[in-house]
């Protein structure tokens, strides 16, 4: 079942903060976050694993609430380069390696 | 190559034609995934390979879709007798481990007329 992302779209001014949420009705093993710019490939941001381990390589943080099957992506002091569509991808314990992606959150950062 | 390479980038097919989409993953990446992305939607899982073994094909929408990775590197997604609803971007992704970071290609945009 597809995770639900909110909000669907957000517009920021450079330097402002944003939070993108992702929730699932199923027990999750991990949550992945990707950003996709128009016409380009999705780019990895973060993996959050059940048990609290977090892997990422950008100045973007995230949380994973295992009990609520929810994850949030925190974008602080946004930059113009943060503009794009953010997707969460969820992996269930029984789904093997397949990710189920949400419909995305379109983020626009204006000067 | 430095990244995941997909070809063709754009393909226009007449309804009923067969198409083949190629994916060249990052060298050494064991896992390879195919996703379908409709306009304005998130990627939707199609199939997954670990080396040459197709471990999950549960996302393939019909028996017109077929994927292979015979030597554990390059993969081909074939769609037979294309229909208009097959129009989408087909994304290939590879990773070193099955649950790690996915490296996506830029996709093959298929338009079926």
């Amino acid at each position: 079942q597809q995770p639900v992302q909110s909000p669907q779209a957000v517009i920021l001014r450079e330097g402002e903060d944003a939070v993108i949420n992702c929730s699932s009705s199923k027990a999750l093993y991990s949550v992945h976050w990707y950003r996709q710019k128009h016409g380009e490939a999705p780019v990895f941001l973060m993996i959050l694993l059940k048990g609290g381990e977090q892997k990422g390589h950008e100045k973007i943080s995230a949380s994973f609430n295992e009990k609520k099957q929810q994850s949030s992506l925190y974008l602080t002091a946004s930059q113009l380069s943060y503009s794009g569509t953010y997707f969460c991808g969820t992996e269930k314990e029984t789904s093997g390696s397949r990710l189920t992606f949400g419909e995305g959150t379109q983020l626009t950062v204006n000067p | 190559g430095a990244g995941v390479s997909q070809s063709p980038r754009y393909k226009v097919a007449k309804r009923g034609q067969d198409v083949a989409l190629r994916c060249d993953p990052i060298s050494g990446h064991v896992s390879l995934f195919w996703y379908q992305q409709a306009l304005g939607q998130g990627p939707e899982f199609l199939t997954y390979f670990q080396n040459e073994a197709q471990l999950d094909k549960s996302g393939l929408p019909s028996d017109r879709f077929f994927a292979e990775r015979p030597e554990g590197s390059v993969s081909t997604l074939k769609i037979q007798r294309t229909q208009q609803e097959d129009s989408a971007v087909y994304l290939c992704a590879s990773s070193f481990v099955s649950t790690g970071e996915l490296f996506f290609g830029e996709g093959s945009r298929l338009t079926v007329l």
Side-chain angles (χ1 to χ4, degrees):
Chain A
Q1 195 164 356
Q2 190 177 37
V4 177
Q5 288 188 232
S6 63
Q8 287 187 324
V10 59
I11 299 175
L12 301 174
R13 289 213 176 272
E14 202 172 1
E16 291 181 338
D17 302 341
V19 180
I20 300 172
N21 301 301
C22 173
S23 64
S24 172
S25 58
K26 304 291 184 182
L28 300 177
Y29 173 73
S30 69
V31 179
H32 300 222
W33 286 95
Y34 288 81
R35 177 174 60 214
Q36 185 177 32
K37 294 182 182 285
H38 184 68
E40 298 182 8
V43 174
F44 169 81
L45 295 175
M46 185 90 55
I47 293 177
L48 299 110
L49 302 174
K50 185 177 177 180
E53 189 178 357
Q54 177 176 312
K55 299 180 182 179
H57 56 73
E58 280 202 19
K59 293 180 182 178
I60 293 173
S61 62
S63 64
F64 179 19
N65 185 323
E66 296 168 34
K67 287 184 180 179
K68 294 185 177 180
Q69 308 306 328
Q70 289 177 350
S71 178
S72 295
L73 187 71
Y74 304 97
L75 304 162
T76 55
S78 58
Q79 304 170 15
L80 296 177
S81 62
Y82 284 10
S83 291
T85 303
Y86 289 76
F87 293 101
C88 69
T90 56
E91 181 184 3
K92 298 183 293 184
E93 292 195 82
T94 57
S95 65
S97 301
R98 63 183 294 175
L99 291 180
T100 303
F101 286 94
E103 292 196 345
T105 295
Q106 192 169 341
L107 178 77
T108 304
V109 181
N110 291 320
Chain B
V4 177
S5 177
Q6 291 189 246
S7 61
R9 287 293 315 280
Y10 303 93
K11 175 69 178 179
V12 178
K14 290 185 180 179
R15 193 163 57 109
Q17 280 185 333
D18 297 348
V19 299
L21 308 176
R22 176 189 167 106
C23 172
D24 201 340
I26 294 173
S27 178
H29 277 193
V30 169
S31 299
L32 186 145
F33 301 80
W34 284 98
Y35 284 85
Q36 180 190 60
Q37 187 173 28
L39 189 64
Q41 302 293 315
E44 218 169 303
F45 173 83
L46 293 176
T47 187
Y48 159 60
F49 289 87
Q50 186 167 319
N51 295 308
E52 69 277 5
Q54 189 174 21
L55 298 186
D56 188 347
K57 56 181 181 179
S58 60
L60 296 176
S62 76
D63 58 9
R64 297 186 296 105
F65 286 71
F66 172 76
E68 60 182 4
R69 193 186 185 197
E71 296 178 1
S73 55
V74 171
S75 176
T76 304
L77 176 67
K78 298 178 180 177
I79 309 172
Q80 296 177 324
R81 305 182 302 281
T82 52
Q83 300 178 7
Q84 284 190 321
E85 59 261 32
D86 299 335
S87 296
V89 175
Y90 290 85
L91 294 168
C92 175
S94 69
S95 68
F96 186 65
V97 294
S98 61
T99 56
E101 172 184 353
L102 293 181
F103 293 83
F104 281 90
E106 292 190 313
S108 292
R109 181 179 294 278
L110 173 65
T111 303
V112 182
L113 302 177

